[in-house]
Amino acid sequence: MRQLSEKQLRASLVNASVRERKELHLPAEFDTLDWDRLEYLGWRDPKTPTIGYLVVDLSNVSDVPDAADVSGASEVSDSDTAAGLVGLRLRAGVVPPRTRVLCALCEDVSIPNEVLLFTARRVGKAGRRGDTIGTLICSHFECSRNVHRLPSSAMAGQDREAVRLNRIDNLRDRVRRFVVRAGADEIA
């Protein structure tokens, strides 16, 4: 993930209103993030914990639609955006699952953290109709940390590093596909 500015983050949110973009609160550790170890930027709003944000860089990706097609937010001028950035405003489920569930993004079987259902309003006309999509995500967006850990030799066999790199690639793919699905009605 490349380093982002606050302005780029706000501009990347394709399913948020102008007011919602203005109300966004950055994560406390924003200035000290290790951008090289992030496959996406995700955080819970410190002032409104039921709101989360997920931002991914779709530039240099050939298997998903062009990010310009996804980020059809008319309220943001092109000069404010960084090409390829797409962000979603998410809402966390208020009731945690009764049993331990697997995060649909990192698919970490060790489940070191809580997983919640997050929903995102779809982009464009579908979102204005109230259409949403949802998926299970680590409650505090720990997916990048989870996939960067070396798996146990029992889980990975002989080549633990190859398994770790594969998990990182799979996380990138799943995040990008979730973001694109949220804007599927707007992609031509």
Side-chain angles (χ1 to χ4, degrees), residues 27 29 38 40-44 53-55 140-141:
E29 69 280 358
L38 293 177
Y40 71 92
L41 176 60
W43 76 99
R44 304 270 296 267
Y53 301 94
L54 186 147
V55 180
H140 292 285
F141 301 93

Side-chain angles (χ1 to χ4, degrees), residues 153 156-161 163:
S153 56
Q158 298 298 317
D159 196 351
R160 295 170 61 196
E161 182 62 17
V163 170

